[in-house]
Amino acid sequence: MSRSGIMVGLSPTFRQTSFPSMGLKGFSFRFKHWACNGYTRMVTSASCSDQLQLQLQDKQLSSPELVALEYADLNLPLPDKELGNVRIRQHVNPLKTTFSVPVQVPHWNQVFRDPTLPLMVDIGSGSGRFLMWLGKKNAGVRNYLGLEIREKLVNRAHYWVKEINLDNVHFIYANATNSFKQVVSNYPGPLMLVSILCPDPHFKKRHHKRRVVQKPLVDSIAASLMDGGEVLIQSDVYEVAVDMRFQFDGESNTLKHIDEVDSSVLCDSEGWLLKNPMGIRTEREIHAEFEGAKIYRRMYKKCFYQHEAISSSSI
C-alpha cells in the first residue's frame, strides 16, 4: 500500500527480542524491543508519526516499543551490562557545586571529521538517539552536539556513536547553563540551530530556578547563533512551554518567531507550531503523545540584520 510517499505492509512480522533499559528523556524503562521484519518503508516528506499510524493500524504498541520502532533505522547494538542497564534520576539539580565549573572544551578535530560544518546543539540530549538519527541522515552536511547532565546517558551515547561510526555526532557531560557559552564560542564553524526539547519541568515553585531556560543561557544562545540561525523549544508541559517562550520572546530585537519571517510555517492561534519541523520525534515526545499530551513548540530565527538596521538609524 502506498500513501503520501510511503509504502508499508500493514501486517509486518515482528520478532520480539529482549532489550535493556532505553533511558528515555526523563524516563527509564525495561521493555521488549520489537524488531520488524517483512515490511517495506519508503520515506519521503511524510512524518514518522504518519508512518507509525499506517504500520500500527493492526497493533497497539507501548510507548517504549514505539520509540524502538521509530529509531529502528539506527540499528543500535546492545551495550554491555554496565552501559545497558542505565537507571537515571528523573530530576537532577543543576545548581549542585559539581556542576558549577564549565566543562573543558573538546578538541573539535578529534570529535568531528570536519569541525567547520554548521553545528546543531541539543540541550538536554537524553539518550542521544535523536541526534544520532539526524547525524546519520545529514552525514557530511552538519555536525551535532548534545549537552546532557546525566553522565551515564552520555557514556552510553559515546558507545553507540563509536559503534555505528558517526563522525558528526558528539556528546558532552555538562550543565548547559554554565557551559554552553564556553563550548560553542570555541567551535570553528557556525552555530545554526539550538534545540531545547522537553526539558526537566522542575514543577515545584522553589525549584523553578533549576530550569535550564534562564536569561543568561538565552542571551548566550542569541549571541552565539549565526545570522539566520534558529532555536527550537518544545515541552509537553504548558507552563514550562510558556516560561521558555517568555524568555525567548524577550530577545525580540534579535530573535523573531519563525512565522514572522516565514509565512509558510503554520501555527495555531496562540503561536505554537502545528508540526514537528525535525522529521523525527524525541523519545519524550513519543511517550507524551502516547499518553495523549499536546506538544507545545516555538521556533525562532536570528535576524540580527534587523537589529543592526534599527541601531544604525537611531544614530
Side-chain angles (χ1 to χ4, degrees):
M1 178 178 292
S2 177
R3 190 186 304 178
S4 301
I6 300 176
M7 185 179 296
V8 290
L10 293 180
S11 300
T13 301
F14 290 92
R15 176 171 54 85
Q16 188 177 20
T17 59
S18 62
F19 199 82
S21 171
M22 286 196 68
L24 303 186
K25 278 192 173 182
F27 292 84
S28 182
F29 292 90
R30 251 208 173 327
F31 68 105
K32 297 290 186 179
H33 171 65
W34 291 85
C36 301
N37 298 318
Y39 71 87
T40 304
R41 228 175 6 169
M42 182 176 68
V43 180
T44 57
S45 60
S47 69
C48 293
S49 58
D50 290 337
Q51 299 170 40
L52 291 174
Q53 288 173 10
L54 287 173
Q55 294 166 3
L56 305 178
Q57 284 180 0
D58 298 330
K59 181 169 183 61
Q60 180 66 49
L61 300 183
S62 68
S63 61
E65 291 165 350
L66 289 172
V67 170
L69 183 57
E70 188 137 347
Y71 286 95
D73 288 346
L74 287 177
N75 295 315
L76 294 177
L78 292 173
D80 59 27
K81 183 176 181 181
E82 182 178 354
L83 290 174
N85 294 324
V86 176
R87 294 182 178 274
I88 61 171
R89 291 178 59 87
Q90 291 188 21
H91 306 288
V92 176
N93 181 6
L95 303 181
K96 290 175 62 176
T97 55
T98 52
F99 296 124
S100 62
V101 180
V103 297
Q104 184 176 357
V105 178
H107 297 286
W108 297 112
N109 58 354
Q110 294 179 8
V111 298
F112 294 133
R113 181 173 183 176
D114 182 358
T116 66
L117 292 176
L119 178 69
M120 172 185 172
V121 176
D122 185 31
I123 295 176
S125 51
S127 75
R129 289 177 176 86
F130 174 68
L131 287 189
M132 293 179 213
W133 187 91
L134 291 173
K136 183 177 180 180
K137 180 181 179 182
N138 298 296
V141 178
R142 297 173 186 169
N143 288 332
Y144 296 88
L145 177 66
L147 302 181
E148 174 55 50
I149 203 168
R150 298 169 176 84
E151 188 174 17
K152 289 183 178 180
L153 293 183
V154 173
N155 291 339
R156 189 177 63 181
H158 283 161
Y159 167 82
W160 276 333
V161 165
K162 182 178 179 180
E163 289 296 310
I164 62 177
N165 297 313
L166 290 176
D167 57 15
N168 63 335
V169 181
H170 185 63
F171 298 90
I172 299 178
Y173 169 53
N175 176 7
T177 303
N178 60 15
S179 293
F180 175 86
K181 183 177 181 179
Q182 178 170 319
V183 169
V184 301
S185 64
N186 286 277
Y187 182 72
L191 177 63
M192 65 168 295
L193 176 61
V194 176
S195 60
I196 307 174
L197 309 178
C198 300
D200 192 329
H202 292 291
F203 288 109
K204 296 179 181 179
K205 187 173 182 179
R206 70 176 185 272
H207 290 164
H208 286 185
K209 60 186 177 182
R210 298 181 181 180
R211 290 179 175 175
V212 66
V213 178
Q214 305 286 347
K215 190 176 189 309
L217 177 62
V218 174
D219 290 343
S220 295
I221 292 173
S224 303
L225 278 171
M226 60 181 285
D227 190 18
E230 296 175 333
V231 181
L232 175 64
I233 58 174
Q234 75 176 30
S235 178
D236 57 302
V237 180
Y238 181 72
E239 177 196 352
V240 175
V242 169
D243 187 36
M244 292 194 292
R245 175 176 180 165
F246 173 79
Q247 296 286 352
F248 280 96
D249 282 355
E251 296 288 334
S252 59
N253 285 337
T254 303
L255 299 176
K256 303 295 182 182
H257 189 249
I258 192 68
D259 64 351
E260 295 182 44
V261 294
D262 186 350
S263 59
S264 67
V265 178
L266 300 179
C267 299
D268 65 15
S269 59
E270 295 184 7
W272 303 109
L273 297 183
L274 292 179
K275 294 183 178 180
N276 180 341
M278 300 305 299
I280 186 85
R281 297 179 296 170
T282 67
E283 294 166 32
R284 171 59 194 169
E285 191 175 346
I286 294 170
H287 177 81
E289 291 185 335
F290 178 83
E291 295 292 331
K294 178 179 178 179
I295 306 298
Y296 301 92
R297 303 182 186 90
R298 294 273 287 180
M299 177 171 274
Y300 299 84
K301 181 181 284 289
K302 184 172 182 177
C303 301
F304 194 62
Y305 61 88
Q306 295 183 5
H307 178 58
E308 287 181 327
I310 295 172
S311 300
S312 300
S313 63
S314 62
I315 297 177

